[in-house]
Amino acid sequence: RTDVKENDDNYTFEIEIPGITKEDIKLSVEDDYLTVEVSKEVDNEKQDDDNYIIRERQYGAVKRNYYVGKVDEDNIKASYNDGVLTILVPKAAEAVKKFIAIE
């Protein structure tokens, strides 16, 4: 699940990703999209040794794209605490509309 907040200067993403280490998360920005990829593989040999009665958690790879438009890619910051990935995405300075005089 994701919450996205916007203010004049940036977007803040709060994404729930429980049970994952930060090494399993890959972030990228390309063509105005923020991409969050998570990949967690199950050790099948270990799984066979465990005596699960119920196994509802799924593992594998998930990828999600978020449209962010033009952003300041060099100043994006991310942190991961207690199963929540927080990403601060600064907006790029907007171009000012400029009128051109006709001579």
Side-chain angles (χ1 to χ4, degrees):
R1 293 183 282 190
T2 303
D3 293 334
V4 181
K5 296 183 260 185
E6 178 183 16
N7 63 33
D8 293 337
D9 300 323
N10 57 56
Y11 300 101
T12 302
F13 291 79
E14 295 174 340
I15 305 168
E16 291 181 354
I17 312 175
I20 300 294
T21 65
K22 68 180 182 180
E23 291 77 24
D24 295 330
I25 303 169
K26 180 179 169 189
L27 302 175
S28 61
V29 175
E30 184 177 4
D31 297 329
D32 299 342
Y33 283 88
L34 170 68
T35 301
V36 179
E37 296 179 71
V38 178
S39 180
K40 180 165 178 124
E41 300 301 321
V42 173
D43 184 351
N44 287 327
E45 290 179 18
K46 183 179 183 303
Q47 182 178 354
D48 292 339
D49 293 339
D50 293 335
N51 294 321
Y52 286 101
I53 296 171
I54 297 173
R55 183 107 195 216
E56 294 181 344
R57 295 182 297 164
Q58 297 180 9
Y59 297 94
V62 176
K63 179 178 177 180
R64 184 153 181 202
N65 295 313
Y66 301 91
Y67 179 78
V68 291
K70 300 296 179 197
V71 297
D72 183 0
E73 297 175 13
D74 295 330
N75 290 307
I76 295 173
K77 297 192 182 340
S79 63
Y80 183 65
N81 292 315
D82 297 328
V84 177
L85 174 65
T86 302
I87 309 167
L88 181 67
V89 182
K91 295 179 181 178
E94 292 188 30
V96 177
K97 187 174 185 178
K98 184 176 182 181
F99 291 95
I100 301 168
I102 300 173
E103 294 181 22

